[in-house]
Amino acid sequence: MSAPTLSRTSTRLTHRLLNPQPPYRCLSCCRYLAQSQEPANHSGPTPTTHFGFQTVPSSSKQSRVANVFTSVASSYDTMNDLMSLGTHRLWKDYFVRSINPGTRDCEEGKGKGQTILDIAGGTGDIAFRMLEHCTVVNKDHASKIIVSDINPDMLAEGKRRAREGGHDHSGRLSWLEANAENLHTISDNSIDLYTVAFGIRNFTSKALALREAFRVLKPGGVFACLEFSKVNNRLVEALYKRWSFGAIPLIGQLVAGDRESYQYLVESIERFPGQEELKGMIEEAGFLLPGGEEGKGWEDLMGGIACVHKGVKPLG
């Protein structure tokens, strides 16, 4: 080999050593190798749930719902007025009368009263009504209400309303930021009345929340739920759906500048279990239905647009 040829060969070898080229890859072989080297997934498919009409990982629903209610916290009454054409106020009044919170003639210092837990009640809408019913109707000045919500913005709105309405001076309201599916700060068998109004359809696991309700209630304690439900008249159902899907998101955009949150809310109503299915879930959690074997466990309002469900924790 001549000196010039040796010099050129040496130069090429040095270049390759200092600047190595990527190895040749067969695409099909690489795919097979990559798949064979991937760690096996022994955990199975990712659990999913519904967020409106979307199917999402269960782990993400809580944050998605939180974003919705953070967005609508300051306009919560407006939201409910749009969703129900204002009738939610009548439904809430009726709901509170139907559960009759408080203990008759239980004056402050002369009786223990009830311990009431209002879940997803951040703005105080139901709690304020129950407090007034206890005091005015049952002459009960001792019963106390824990207002629980997972969303701090909703709780802040409730505290603001309590100050403005003079309810915060009573010493009978307390506020708890908590997940209804894990009420670890509340002891077993410590609650007389558990209420949830227009909140259960937003829970990631309704079954888990119902089991928690059963755990914290005293034997003989009452679970009471007010929620949108399934309309039992086809004409009314058609009109209601046209209003819900055609008007409510648009009005939400115009009034609150938030179409997406209102779109989720109407979709969440559509996806929520019907009366019979929710009744079965309540029974499966361990509750007895009021009225014995013939009691159906719910009461429709306005033909099923909304519905009141109740369950009682057995004494034994």
Side-chain angles (χ1 to χ4, degrees):
M1 184 179 293
S2 65
T5 302
L6 182 62
S7 176
R8 286 195 299 272
T9 303
S10 175
T11 301
R12 291 193 198 104
L13 181 61
T14 302
H15 177 77
R16 287 185 179 180
L17 289 171
L18 295 178
N19 301 280
Q21 297 297 308
Y24 168 75
R25 294 183 180 182
C26 169
L27 186 59
S28 60
C29 294
C30 288
R31 285 176 177 170
Y32 175 80
L33 182 61
Q35 290 172 0
S36 65
Q37 290 178 342
E38 286 180 357
N41 182 6
H42 299 294
S43 61
T46 302
T48 60
T49 188
H50 298 298
F51 179 77
F53 287 164
Q54 301 178 54
T55 299
V56 300
S58 297
S59 58
S60 74
K61 181 170 181 176
Q62 179 177 320
S63 61
R64 289 169 180 258
V65 172
N67 290 337
V68 169
F69 282 91
T70 295
S71 174
V72 303
S74 60
S75 58
Y76 187 69
D77 279 342
T78 302
M79 179 193 74
N80 281 326
D81 282 334
L82 293 176
M83 300 284 282
S84 67
L85 297 177
T87 54
H88 74 100
R89 301 172 190 270
L90 300 177
W91 295 340
K92 290 172 180 175
D93 288 341
Y94 178 78
F95 177 62
V96 170
R97 289 196 305 271
S98 74
I99 57 180
N100 190 27
T103 304
R104 175 68 68 175
D105 297 323
C106 182
E107 297 181 10
E108 188 174 6
K110 294 186 179 181
K112 193 174 180 181
Q114 290 184 327
T115 301
I116 302 170
L117 176 62
D118 184 34
I119 290 287
T123 61
D125 233 13
I126 295 295
F128 301 153
R129 284 172 166 85
M130 290 196 292
L131 192 62
E132 183 178 3
H133 186 96
C134 287
T135 305
V136 177
V137 177
N138 283 326
K139 311 299 180 187
D140 176 352
H141 299 269
S143 289
K144 296 185 177 181
I145 303 172
I146 304 167
V147 184
S148 176
D149 203 290
I150 198 171
N151 191 302
D153 293 288
M154 296 290 278
L155 289 170
E157 181 67 15
K159 292 175 183 178
R160 181 188 67 79
R161 294 182 183 189
R163 288 192 300 271
E164 292 180 355
H167 300 294
D168 59 335
H169 301 305
S170 68
R172 298 165 63 192
L173 283 176
S174 59
W175 307 85
L176 174 66
E177 184 178 337
N179 187 334
E181 298 163 31
N182 182 14
L183 300 170
H184 63 276
T185 60
I186 299 179
S187 303
D188 296 0
N189 306 312
S190 61
I191 301 297
D192 295 286
L193 173 62
Y194 176 116
T195 59
V196 54
F198 301 118
I200 195 171
R201 74 179 186 276
N202 300 305
F203 296 167
T204 301
S205 173
K206 299 166 187 62
L208 186 56
L210 287 168
R211 289 198 295 271
E212 274 292 85
F214 187 87
R215 178 186 68 80
V216 302
L217 277 167
K218 297 176 181 178
V222 174
F223 166 84
C225 170
L226 171 64
E227 188 54 88
F228 290 106
S229 198
K230 303 301 181 187
V231 181
N232 51 38
N233 179 287
R234 288 188 177 181
L235 177 59
V236 175
E237 179 186 26
L239 293 172
Y240 180 66
K241 284 187 177 182
R242 181 176 292 273
W243 166 257
S244 296
F245 287 94
I248 290 176
L250 177 60
I251 296 174
Q253 181 178 348
L254 296 174
V255 175
D258 186 357
R259 184 187 185 94
E260 289 185 0
S261 293
Y262 288 78
Q263 182 70 36
Y264 158 72
L265 290 166
V266 296
E267 290 178 4
S268 70
I269 294 172
E270 183 69 16
R271 294 305 299 258
F272 188 66
Q275 290 88 326
E276 193 70 41
E277 185 179 353
L278 183 57
K279 166 197 167 183
M281 295 172 70
I282 293 170
E283 287 183 301
E284 189 174 342
F287 290 102
L288 301 176
L289 301 180
E293 294 183 0
E294 297 182 358
K296 64 179 182 178
W298 77 81
E299 181 181 0
D300 287 335
L301 305 179
M302 287 186 65
I305 293 179
C307 187
V308 176
H309 282 265
K310 294 178 184 176
V312 180
K313 184 172 181 176
L315 291 172

